[in-house]
Amino acid sequence: MAHADIGGAMIDAPVLDILTREKSNSLSNREWRFRLKGYGYAIKDVAGAQIVTKLPQGVELGVLPANFH
């Protein structure tokens, strides 16, 4: 069962920069998620929130800000 602290830990600025840059370079949400895997990150949806995780362990880094939805 997935665990997430939806209260939301803040994502580190360097990681947020990568997410932002790759989102702007992607044509779709699917492509964005694929590109993030190349950096070792993934996005999982939990209870209506998007959680950034570190691959391959799936360690949760924090909740995406609302402007990423």
Side-chain angles (χ1 to χ4, degrees):
M1 178 167 220
H3 174 272
D5 179 14
I6 303 302
M10 294 299 295
I11 300 171
D12 292 334
V15 175
L16 199 55
D17 290 343
I18 291 170
L19 298 174
T20 303
R21 183 182 66 238
E22 292 305 317
K23 180 101 172 154
S24 68
N25 290 334
S26 299
L27 298 175
S28 67
N29 193 38
R30 182 177 177 182
E31 179 186 1
W32 177 57
R33 289 176 182 240
F34 178 79
R35 293 170 71 109
L36 291 181
K37 288 180 183 180
Y39 290 96
Y41 299 105
I43 307 294
K44 71 177 180 180
D45 297 314
V46 178
Q50 291 184 317
I51 311 295
V52 179
T53 63
K54 182 73 175 147
L55 296 174
Q57 298 85 6
V59 176
E60 296 174 356
L61 301 178
V63 179
L64 276 178
N67 61 336
F68 279 93
H69 295 270

